[in-house]
Amino acid sequence: MEKRDLIYEGKAKRLFSTDDANLVIAEFKDDLTAFNGAKKDNESGKGALNNKISTELFKMLAKNGVESHFVEMLDDTHMLCKKVDIILIEVIVRNIATGSLSKNLGIPDGKVLPFTLVEFDYKNDALGDPKLNDQHCLILELVKNEAELDQLRAMAREVNSILRPYFHDKGLNLVDFKLEFGRDKDGKIILADEISPDNCRFWDLETGEKMDKDRFRQGLGGLKVAYEEVLNRILG
Ligand code: 5GP
């Protein structure tokens, strides 16, 4: 399958059309951004690591009954995907308080939450991805109805219930992550985007070391080594 026209460029990926109207090619970029694009860098090989990590996770989720846009990995930096209309809601799943949750609500960093929290952010860079409640989602017509919001929450919890023990077995604590969903050609809501250390937080179970994009956000260095370690643990 060949790349045709560039149809979308985001902060971490480019999307290309193909000769098949129902398939697109995602190219994983080495660009790193944080704080809504205010902090920028480039890490050679980061895109390939995220492509490989996402490929393994989408395959594992498919085996566990979670449908995604993933079709196949084409090469180091390219993934063939089903074309979907992205729902402009970032579905955030949190097992442990950190990041914006600790900052906004004063919940101590590292506190294990009494239950898994699912939140919605508006996928809108111009507005800085603000927090949404259900009524905001309906007023903005981001989904058709309340039942679809419940479906997004249920799918996100299902992904968490698979990923959390999977990573625990590999010595990683799945702290939180962001998912995106889209509608396929039949209107069915499926998982989309990527699942990688760019949009998940992983803490080493033994040392507590951060193994994700917080290394970049917090200027800790060693980002690529951490992403490689996540991939190696996934590959076992
Ligand atoms: P927080 O709201 O604490 O910044 O992020 C919560 C989780 O969602 C983290 O795992 C973070 O990586 C992910 N996340 C939230 N918003 C975004 C976003 O706009 N882009 C990416 N790549 N990840 C996000």
Side-chain angles (χ1 to χ4, degrees), residues 90 92 94 99-100 129 176-178 198-201 217:
E90 298 184 344
I92 313 284
R94 300 177 186 272
S100 71
D129 295 353
D176 59 25
F177 55 95
K178 183 256 299 183
D198 266 13
N199 54 19
C200 302
R201 287 192 174 102
R217 294 186 188 102

Side-chain angles (χ1 to χ4, degrees), residues 141-206:
E141 298 182 7
L142 303 179
V143 287
K144 292 182 185 132
N145 50 44
E146 185 78 34
E148 286 193 340
L149 294 174
D150 289 337
Q151 188 185 345
L152 294 179
R153 274 187 283 263
M155 291 175 80
R157 285 183 191 284
E158 175 67 8
V159 170
N160 186 53
S161 74
I162 297 164
L163 289 186
R164 202 179 180 190
Y166 171 87
F167 280 110
H168 192 272
D169 281 354
K170 295 172 184 301
L172 291 173
N173 199 345
L174 179 61
V175 172
D176 59 25
F177 55 95
K178 183 256 299 183
L179 298 176
E180 292 183 24
F181 294 87
R183 293 174 205 278
D184 71 8
K185 63 177 176 14
D186 304 317
K188 187 174 181 192
I189 295 177
I190 60 174
L191 187 58
D193 193 39
E194 66 181 276
I195 307 179
S196 75
D198 266 13
N199 54 19
C200 302
R201 287 192 174 102
F202 301 110
W203 293 351
D204 184 275
L205 272 175
E206 303 244 304

Side-chain angles (χ1 to χ4, degrees), residues 1-235:
M1 195 63 71
E2 301 272 305
K3 288 198 274 195
R4 294 294 173 217
D5 301 323
L6 179 68
I7 47 180
Y8 175 80
E9 177 151 9
K11 295 196 283 287
K13 291 187 290 304
R14 291 186 190 92
L15 279 190
F16 295 88
S17 60
T18 67
D19 290 336
D20 185 328
N22 294 319
L23 295 174
V24 295
I25 292 174
E27 178 188 350
F28 285 71
K29 302 198 289 186
D30 288 335
D31 295 350
L32 277 161
T33 61
F35 312 117
N36 199 26
K39 181 171 177 169
K40 288 192 186 127
D41 206 345
N42 188 279
E43 178 84 43
S44 172
K46 192 262 311 184
L49 285 162
N50 282 351
N51 186 26
K52 289 172 190 169
I53 291 168
S54 292
T55 291
E56 293 303 319
L57 295 177
F58 281 138
K59 281 187 187 169
M60 191 274 291
L61 287 169
K63 279 189 199 145
N64 286 278
V66 177
E67 198 183 333
S68 78
H69 70 160
F70 173 80
V71 178
E72 63 174 335
M73 194 173 106
L74 296 173
D75 61 33
D76 268 12
T77 53
H78 294 95
M79 180 189 282
L80 185 64
C81 301
K82 291 176 203 160
K83 188 173 171 47
V84 295
D85 287 328
I86 288 288
I87 295 171
L88 295 177
I89 298 175
E90 298 184 344
V91 183
I92 313 284
V93 180
R94 300 177 186 272
N95 297 306
I96 296 173
T98 193
S100 71
L101 181 66
S102 294
K103 186 167 171 272
N104 294 336
L105 299 184
I107 302 174
D109 196 291
K111 183 180 160 55
V112 178
L113 297 174
F115 53 86
T116 298
L117 173 64
V118 181
E119 305 178 295
F120 296 143
D121 288 0
Y122 191 9
K123 184 175 161 64
N124 184 321
D125 284 341
L127 297 176
D129 295 353
K131 202 58 69 194
L132 295 167
N133 68 23
D134 284 23
Q135 297 164 82
H136 295 139
C137 294
L138 296 174
I139 287 169
L140 289 166
E141 298 182 7
L142 303 179
V143 287
K144 292 182 185 132
N145 50 44
E146 185 78 34
E148 286 193 340
L149 294 174
D150 289 337
Q151 188 185 345
L152 294 179
R153 274 187 283 263
M155 291 175 80
R157 285 183 191 284
E158 175 67 8
V159 170
N160 186 53
S161 74
I162 297 164
L163 289 186
R164 202 179 180 190
Y166 171 87
F167 280 110
H168 192 272
D169 281 354
K170 295 172 184 301
L172 291 173
N173 199 345
L174 179 61
V175 172
D176 59 25
F177 55 95
K178 183 256 299 183
L179 298 176
E180 292 183 24
F181 294 87
R183 293 174 205 278
D184 71 8
K185 63 177 176 14
D186 304 317
K188 187 174 181 192
I189 295 177
I190 60 174
L191 187 58
D193 193 39
E194 66 181 276
I195 307 179
S196 75
D198 266 13
N199 54 19
C200 302
R201 287 192 174 102
F202 301 110
W203 293 351
D204 184 275
L205 272 175
E206 303 244 304
T207 64
E209 202 181 344
K210 296 179 198 296
M211 311 283 284
D212 55 65
K213 200 165 91 173
D214 272 353
R215 300 207 71 83
F216 169 66
R217 294 186 188 102
Q218 300 175 8
L220 301 173
L223 177 120
K224 212 176 139 185
V225 174
Y227 283 34
E228 275 163 353
E229 178 63 19
V230 171
L231 177 62
N232 287 337
R233 293 209 199 174
I234 287 172
L235 296 175

